[in-house]
């Protein structure tokens, strides 16, 4: 969202908000800019009500999209509305089944919140396959999951299989 990974330095925060404001000044009903402002409000200021209002407005202006559903899911998670967060995550994947980032994010939610380790493991493997060899984040998440779920030996075995076959996704 900020153009520099997850950095939240003051310059990046201010410049991202300025870019969002410019987009909305030019096109007040631009759903993509409303989604970005909602993400900014949620993650920078914690203003969940304003974020919800922007997402509702974006939803009224566009057909359902994976980007919109993911933003809604993120907000629902922040507000501890887990049933809605999972419903929206499933909808996100239905709308964009080939997006490794969304697939990985859904795995994180299953693993950390519901404790559904087998499904989270499957989703991490799917995200790795979608993103291709060298996709670090879903692989790291899968190794950490295996370590917690099945023990250090299982994590090391997964790392060993990856070293032998960098395209390994299981």
């Amino acid at each position: 969202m900020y153009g520099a990974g997850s950095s939240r330095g003051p310059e990046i925060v201010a410049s991202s908000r300025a870019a969002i404001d410019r987009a909305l000044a030019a096109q007040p009903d631009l759903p993509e800019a409303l989604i970005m402002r909602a993400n900014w409000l949620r993650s920078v200021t914690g203003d969940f009500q304003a974020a919800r209002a922007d997402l509702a407005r974006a939803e009224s202006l566009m057909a359902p999209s994976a980007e919109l559903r993911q933003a809604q899911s993120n907000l629902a998670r922040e507000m501890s509305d887990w049933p809605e967060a999972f419903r929206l995550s499933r909808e996100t994947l239905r709308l964009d089944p080939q997006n490794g980032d969304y697939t990985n994010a859904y795995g994180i939610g299953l693993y950390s919140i519901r404790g559904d380790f087998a499904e989270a493991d499957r989703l991490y493997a799917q995200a790795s396959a979608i993103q291709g060899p060298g996709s670090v984040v879903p692989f790291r998440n899968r190794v950490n999951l295996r370590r917690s779920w099945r023990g250090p030996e299982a994590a090391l075995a997964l790392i060993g299989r990856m070293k032998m076959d960098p395209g390994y996704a299981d």
Side-chain angles (χ1 to χ4, degrees):
M1 175 171 125
Y2 302 108
S6 60
S7 173
R8 295 195 181 174
E11 298 85 17
I12 292 174
V13 169
S15 67
S16 64
R17 181 59 193 249
I20 293 166
D21 290 344
R22 282 192 305 275
L24 287 170
Q27 294 183 28
D29 290 331
L30 183 63
E32 295 82 359
L34 290 166
I35 293 168
M36 290 306 299
R37 184 169 66 187
N39 286 333
W40 191 94
L41 289 164
R42 175 187 57 79
S43 62
V44 175
T45 67
D47 188 344
F48 299 155
Q49 296 311 314
R52 179 182 284 179
D54 275 354
L55 292 174
R57 185 166 166 214
E59 185 173 35
S60 74
L61 296 168
M62 66 188 293
S65 72
E67 179 186 20
L68 173 62
R69 293 297 185 248
Q70 184 65 30
Q72 291 170 320
S73 175
N74 290 340
L75 180 60
R77 278 189 209 131
E78 292 279 342
M79 298 177 75
S80 298
D81 185 352
W82 299 111
E84 183 69 356
F86 287 115
R87 184 190 72 75
L88 290 162
S89 287
R90 285 190 301 274
E91 179 72 5
T92 299
L93 292 183
R94 188 188 66 75
L95 291 166
D96 191 356
Q98 292 303 308
N99 187 307
D101 290 333
Y102 295 154
T103 304
N104 182 65
Y106 191 37
I108 291 169
L110 286 172
Y111 165 53
S112 63
I113 303 307
R114 288 178 32 181
D116 192 341
F117 300 132
E119 182 64 6
D121 191 62
R122 185 192 70 75
L123 288 164
Y124 291 148
Q126 182 180 343
S128 289
I130 291 168
Q131 292 180 352
S135 60
V136 174
V137 173
F139 181 70
R140 181 195 65 220
N141 290 342
R142 193 169 186 212
V143 167
N144 288 333
L145 170 70
R146 290 278 179 103
R147 181 179 43 81
S148 299
W149 175 32
R150 296 185 176 168
E153 296 81 17
L156 291 171
L158 183 63
I159 292 168
R161 286 194 301 272
M162 183 58 78
K163 285 181 178 179
M164 291 173 48
D165 178 6
Y168 173 78
D170 192 69

